[in-house]
Amino acid sequence: DAKLIFITPPSMEELEHRLRSRGDTTEEQIQKRLERARWEIAQSPRYDHIVVNDELDRCVQEILDIIAE
């Protein structure tokens, strides 16, 4: 039985920080990505699991645990 996993940033502020810190994204691209992220996050209740991407090792382990279920 397939499980849908939604990986979300800890906050919109953190997502914006991550996008800006890359240094390879235009302001227009950042705004489009943030708009898309708001829509995607609004869809998250449709998923079986929501994993917050706040700490890489923990996030990966949580996903592995979900897969192992």
Side-chain angles (χ1 to χ4, degrees):
D1 192 25
K3 303 264 182 182
L4 297 175
I5 303 171
F6 184 83
I7 302 171
T8 187
S11 67
M12 289 301 295
E13 293 80 13
E14 178 61 21
L15 175 59
E16 183 173 357
H17 170 73
R18 291 175 184 180
L19 291 171
R20 291 187 186 286
S21 67
R22 291 179 184 168
D24 64 353
T25 309
T26 68
E27 183 63 29
E28 182 180 352
Q29 291 170 321
I30 290 170
Q31 293 307 316
K32 285 182 180 181
R33 180 63 186 100
L34 292 172
E35 182 179 327
R36 176 71 182 189
R38 286 184 193 91
W39 180 86
E40 291 172 351
I41 291 168
Q43 305 309 306
S44 66
R46 297 177 173 196
Y47 288 73
D48 301 305
H49 301 274
I50 299 174
V51 177
V52 178
N53 184 10
D54 53 356
E55 183 183 314
L56 181 60
D57 291 337
R58 188 209 51 77
C59 182
V60 169
Q61 188 58 56
E62 188 173 343
I63 293 168
L64 291 173
D65 292 346
I66 292 167
I67 293 169
E69 287 179 355

